[in-house]
Amino acid sequence: MDIFQKTGKVAIGSRLRLLTAKVTEDASKIYEMYHVDFSPKWFPVFFVLSEDGEKTITEIAEQIRHSQPSVTKIIKEMSGAGLVKGNQKSDDKRRNVVGLSKKGTQLAETLRIQTKDVELAVEGLMAESTNNLWEAIAEWEFLLQKKSLFKRVQEQKKLRESANVEIVEYEPKYKTAFKQLNEEWISNYFEIEETDSKALDNPEKSILEKGGEIFVALYENEPLGVCALIKMDDPDYDFELAKMAVSPKAQGKSIGLKLGQAVIEEARKQGAKKIYLESNTILTPAINLYYKLGFEKIVGRATPYKRCNIQMELRLK
Amino acid sequence: MDIFQKTGKVAIGSRLRLLTAKVTEDASKIYEMYHVDFSPKWFPVFFVLSEDGEKTITEIAEQIRHSQPSVTKIIKEMSGAGLVKGNQKSDDKRRNVVGLSKKGTQLAETLRIQTKDVELAVEGLMAESTNNLWEAIAEWEFLLQKKSLFKRVQEQKKLRESANVEIVEYEPKYKTAFKQLNEEWISNYFEIEETDSKALDNPEKSILEKGGEIFVALYENEPLGVCALIKMDDPDYDFELAKMAVSPKAQGKSIGLKLGQAVIEEARKQGAKKIYLESNTILTPAINLYYKLGFEKIVGRATPYKRCNIQMELRLK
DNA sequence: ATCATTTACATAACTGATTATGCAATATTA
DNA sequence: TAATATTGCATAATCAGTTATGTAAATGAT
């Protein structure tokens, strides 16, 4: 049985490689059949030169999507075979302007006929198949340019992993996690302040007993993110979203988003009208997350934290 | 503008190569993302080992359609990474039976999850395209196995070239061609006999004036093939097909077939019932051609040629 | 005008594959 | 049972590409 049926589509790379090898192997035999002293790998270079006349090495490389050294080498080989002339006159002495030689131009004519034969053979293959390989490749090129395979896999990973993230309410066993996760990022960017320690050392007293909530994100039963909803003593705001912390090793699982959503949900349940938060603009991903959650920037409130340079609020309807 | 739009489908090899490169480039980044110390090229080997348990190097190579040295090298690398154990006990000391190590088996579990993510990403790509790349490749593999690309191009070439072959009646200007083409192949396989020279030196007298015909195949106005229809002085046969000669440099243009058809057509026109010919079985392509033209083997006629070891006839209705 | 930066290319080193080749171990055959 | 052929694998050489790096020429900034 064919191995690719078993591996599934992960092996698309290997499968592509094998087909490529088979096709290029035949390519050199085909040139032999036409008795032309020509290496298949020269084709793209030769083609652009016969189409566009003279060109520099780099221009060719860009057009055929090879690396520049690859084109340099090919031109050298073709030069040896007498098909191209390099170092044409040019004002810029760095540039190596190459063009087809007389022999090259003659060969172009021969190759045109051969090209036609190959074209017909390939089209015959297309006609025999129900899925058009040529078009399929073109579509992949287009789609991968819009979003790379890497990015696509990353998204799948995130999707799967975020499905395994569970948001639970605070329990005493998460006390150390709550402290450590917060200290980790704070100390990474700033100094830990007096106000921090007070809240982190005794969340029960400083947050829960005052009517707040703490949510913990579990991934495979390990607490990897926390976020608090703190009751505010302020006529303008009901709650503050604070102490949001996600372990760096758990990036990309949408944990922050899920915590934020849980916090907002809870605030809404308790009939809150507005939630407040403060942060620092160097924490770009966090700020983006807050915007995503619906928070908007505000100005002018007093804050006990030195590190705060942005304040936001969310109006709940 | 994309270069492949200009080149047309001859460049399918180059295009495949580029796509393969793009896919495999992302592959290694994907492994990195999952924090596994794993090279993409190991995948096929790793896969068969995790599926089938222990295997020899050659078995793996066959299954994943790599060369044996390639597998040897990969196994060595994977061995270095502690993923496989080689030289398992085996009666046959030439064989290197390899299997996954404990670490390898553990990794298989991790990779299973990653594989799933990639699979979904690839399927997403398929879903976004109208031409299914995976299926298209499978179809090409199947079609190319039935008939290689080389063979297909060869057929196109033949088709095109045979369209340029023109069969004309003998004229004095083809006298030397008639002689040379025949002498070329005869002297190549046998000795030129007395009977040959007589006919070749003076075709007008020995063939045409006796009511026979000679046809000449022109390719780009050059005579590259000849064939004679010789009137026989025999109650059983009207004509003999003889002096068929095609230049070796004109192989693959169906010149022999066209000449044969012209000769038969002429015989039919003249009301012939049976055509005779003699040849030698070492000339396999010629014999095959005669069968293709409808000739059948007969036995027992006398012949002036030493080299003749097969006799054939064609009954015309 | 001078100095730093960028550009254009060549060269070197590497990569993932291949074919060619050599050497044991095993199987086959006279 | 000895000679010969085949098998299984490792090693070496090659190939078509790549990235990294060096260098001279041109361009830009102060």
Side-chain angles (χ1 to χ4, degrees):
Chain A
M1 218 258 284
D2 192 90
I3 187 179
F4 294 121
Q5 304 245 327
K6 282 203 231 160
T7 59
K9 308 198 178 66
V10 230
I12 184 101
S14 294
R15 196 169 203 175
L16 273 168
R17 197 188 51 72
L18 279 176
L19 183 59
T20 308
K22 191 175 251 166
V23 169
T24 49
E25 187 196 320
D26 270 29
S28 51
K29 283 201 273 173
I30 289 168
Y31 282 104
E32 253 174 60
M33 176 164 66
Y34 288 81
H35 308 109
V36 286
D37 181 20
F38 196 88
S39 163
K41 67 171 170 171
W42 296 351
F43 180 78
V45 173
F46 189 84
F47 182 85
V48 301
L49 287 180
S50 69
E51 282 281 303
D52 302 356
E54 300 185 338
K55 268 196 177 323
T56 67
I57 301 269
T58 322
E59 281 166 357
I60 299 171
E62 270 165 18
Q63 201 159 356
I64 70 173
R65 291 189 252 160
H66 273 221
S67 65
Q68 163 264 311
S70 167
V71 175
T72 297
K73 217 193 270 176
I74 289 172
I75 289 293
K76 219 188 218 169
E77 288 177 24
M78 290 174 73
S79 230
L83 298 178
V84 303
K85 297 190 307 270
N87 285 313
Q88 312 282 72
K89 67 280 150 208
S90 155
D91 298 342
D92 189 334
K93 280 169 193 159
R94 292 168 306 176
R95 314 176 99 190
N96 183 354
V97 180
V98 294
L100 290 189
S101 67
K102 205 166 194 174
K103 187 176 168 193
T105 322
Q106 283 165 358
L107 183 62
E109 206 41 59
T110 317
L111 283 189
R112 201 153 297 147
I113 295 163
Q114 174 182 342
T115 291
K116 188 85 195 165
D117 290 347
V118 177
E119 185 99 19
L120 287 169
V122 172
E123 265 160 12
L125 274 161
M126 306 282 189
E128 281 184 66
S129 30
T130 54
N131 293 281
N132 188 314
L133 181 63
W134 183 256
E135 294 300 331
I137 296 175
E139 283 182 311
W140 267 57
E141 283 171 352
F142 175 74
L143 291 172
L144 290 181
Q145 194 205 335
K146 281 204 308 183
K147 193 191 291 178
S148 73
L149 184 59
F150 176 78
K151 202 86 200 283
R152 287 163 194 268
V153 172
Q154 197 175 38
E155 284 179 4
Q156 287 299 334
K157 181 169 179 271
K158 202 162 166 175
L159 213 66
R160 173 176 52 73
E161 289 179 339
S162 78
N164 290 339
V165 171
E166 201 188 347
I167 306 294
V168 298
E169 287 188 10
Y170 178 86
E171 286 176 52
K173 62 177 171 181
Y174 299 131
K175 188 161 180 169
T176 53
F178 180 71
K179 185 176 178 190
Q180 278 174 7
L181 286 168
N182 270 290
E183 284 183 348
E184 192 176 355
W185 78 261
I186 297 173
S187 60
N188 215 334
Y189 289 93
F190 314 99
E191 295 282 289
I192 297 185
E193 300 177 29
E194 175 77 33
T195 336
D196 291 314
S197 307
K198 234 192 313 184
L200 296 175
D201 285 333
N202 200 341
E204 284 90 349
K205 206 164 185 178
S206 61
I207 300 173
L208 300 178
E209 287 175 12
K210 290 183 177 158
E213 268 303 346
I214 295 174
F215 292 95
V216 178
L218 299 179
Y219 178 68
E220 290 172 354
N221 284 319
E222 200 187 345
L224 292 178
V226 291
C227 187
L229 181 69
I230 301 175
K231 189 93 186 168
M232 278 175 84
D233 191 19
D234 188 301
D236 288 343
Y237 298 100
D238 307 288
F239 291 103
E240 177 183 358
L241 186 158
K243 303 291 172 273
M244 161 91 79
V246 175
S247 165
K249 69 177 175 184
Q251 297 302 319
K253 295 182 180 56
S254 305
I255 287 184
L257 185 66
K258 292 202 164 190
L259 283 168
Q261 285 166 341
V263 158
I264 292 167
E265 182 59 28
E266 178 62 29
R268 189 173 268 134
K269 224 186 273 170
Q270 296 198 22
K273 293 270 175 297
K274 267 158 86 180
I275 308 177
Y276 170 78
L277 71 77
E278 44 198 31
S279 183
N280 189 296
T281 44
I282 65 162
L283 307 166
T284 328
I287 304 298
N288 285 337
L289 170 63
Y290 298 143
Y291 278 119
K292 199 167 174 182
L293 285 166
F295 281 84
E296 285 165 15
K297 201 176 161 182
I298 55 164
V299 283
R301 262 190 70 90
T303 161
Y305 290 104
K306 288 189 211 142
R307 63 176 176 263
C308 162
N309 77 348
I310 181 171
Q311 298 168 305
M312 303 178 86
E313 67 172 30
L314 173 66
R315 292 161 187 275
L316 299 170
K317 300 147 247 179
Chain B
M1 219 257 286
D2 192 272
I3 187 179
F4 294 120
Q5 305 244 327
K6 283 203 230 157
T7 59
K9 307 196 179 65
V10 231
I12 184 102
S14 294
R15 196 169 203 178
L16 272 168
R17 197 188 52 71
L18 280 176
L19 182 59
T20 308
K22 191 176 252 167
V23 169
T24 50
E25 187 195 321
D26 270 30
S28 50
K29 282 201 273 173
I30 289 168
Y31 283 105
E32 251 174 62
M33 176 165 62
Y34 288 81
H35 308 107
V36 286
D37 180 20
F38 196 88
S39 163
K41 67 171 170 171
W42 296 350
F43 179 78
V45 173
F46 189 84
F47 182 83
V48 301
L49 287 180
S50 69
E51 281 282 302
D52 302 357
E54 300 185 338
K55 271 198 175 322
T56 67
I57 300 269
T58 322
E59 280 166 358
I60 298 171
E62 271 165 17
Q63 201 161 356
I64 70 173
R65 291 189 255 162
H66 273 220
S67 65
Q68 165 264 309
S70 166
V71 176
T72 297
K73 217 195 268 173
I74 290 172
I75 289 293
K76 220 188 219 169
E77 289 177 23
M78 290 174 74
S79 232
L83 297 177
V84 303
K85 295 190 308 269
N87 284 312
Q88 311 283 72
K89 65 281 151 210
S90 155
D91 297 344
D92 189 334
K93 281 167 193 162
R94 290 168 305 179
R95 316 175 98 192
N96 184 355
V97 181
V98 293
L100 291 189
S101 68
K102 203 164 193 175
K103 187 175 168 193
T105 322
Q106 283 166 358
L107 184 61
E109 205 41 58
T110 317
L111 283 188
R112 201 153 296 146
I113 295 164
Q114 174 182 344
T115 292
K116 188 83 196 169
D117 290 347
V118 177
E119 185 100 19
L120 288 168
V122 171
E123 265 160 14
L125 275 161
M126 306 281 187
E128 281 185 67
S129 30
T130 55
N131 293 279
N132 187 314
L133 180 63
W134 183 257
E135 293 301 330
I137 296 174
E139 283 182 311
W140 267 57
E141 284 171 352
F142 175 74
L143 291 171
L144 290 180
Q145 193 205 334
K146 280 206 305 184
K147 194 191 287 176
S148 73
L149 183 61
F150 176 78
K151 202 85 200 282
R152 286 163 194 269
V153 173
Q154 196 176 38
E155 283 179 4
Q156 287 298 333
K157 180 170 180 271
K158 201 162 167 175
L159 212 67
R160 174 176 51 75
E161 289 179 340
S162 77
N164 290 340
V165 171
E166 201 188 349
I167 305 295
V168 299
E169 287 189 11
Y170 178 86
E171 287 175 52
K173 63 177 170 182
Y174 298 131
K175 188 161 179 166
T176 52
F178 182 69
K179 185 174 177 191
Q180 277 173 8
L181 286 168
N182 270 289
E183 283 183 348
E184 192 175 356
W185 78 261
I186 296 173
S187 61
N188 216 332
Y189 288 93
F190 314 100
E191 295 283 286
I192 296 186
E193 299 177 30
E194 174 76 35
T195 336
D196 290 316
S197 306
K198 234 192 312 185
L200 296 176
D201 284 335
N202 200 343
E204 284 89 348
K205 204 165 188 179
S206 62
I207 299 173
L208 300 177
E209 286 175 13
K210 292 186 177 155
E213 267 304 346
I214 295 174
F215 292 95
V216 178
L218 299 179
Y219 178 68
E220 290 172 355
N221 285 318
E222 198 187 344
L224 291 179
V226 292
C227 187
L229 181 68
I230 302 175
K231 189 93 184 169
M232 279 173 83
D233 190 19
D234 187 304
D236 287 342
Y237 296 101
D238 308 288
F239 291 103
E240 178 184 357
L241 185 157
K243 304 289 171 274
M244 161 89 82
V246 175
S247 164
K249 70 178 175 183
Q251 297 302 319
K253 295 182 180 55
S254 305
I255 287 185
L257 185 67
K258 292 202 164 188
L259 283 168
Q261 286 166 341
V263 159
I264 292 167
E265 183 57 29
E266 178 62 28
R268 188 173 269 136
K269 224 187 271 169
Q270 297 198 21
K273 293 271 175 295
K274 267 158 84 180
I275 308 177
Y276 170 77
L277 71 76
E278 44 197 33
S279 182
N280 188 295
T281 44
I282 67 163
L283 307 167
T284 329
I287 304 297
N288 286 337
L289 170 63
Y290 298 142
Y291 278 120
K292 198 167 174 181
L293 286 166
F295 282 85
E296 285 164 16
K297 200 177 164 183
I298 55 163
V299 284
R301 263 192 67 90
T303 161
Y305 290 104
K306 288 193 212 134
R307 62 173 176 264
C308 161
N309 77 347
I310 182 170
Q311 298 169 305
M312 302 176 86
E313 68 171 31
L314 173 66
R315 291 161 186 274
L316 299 170
K317 301 143 249 187

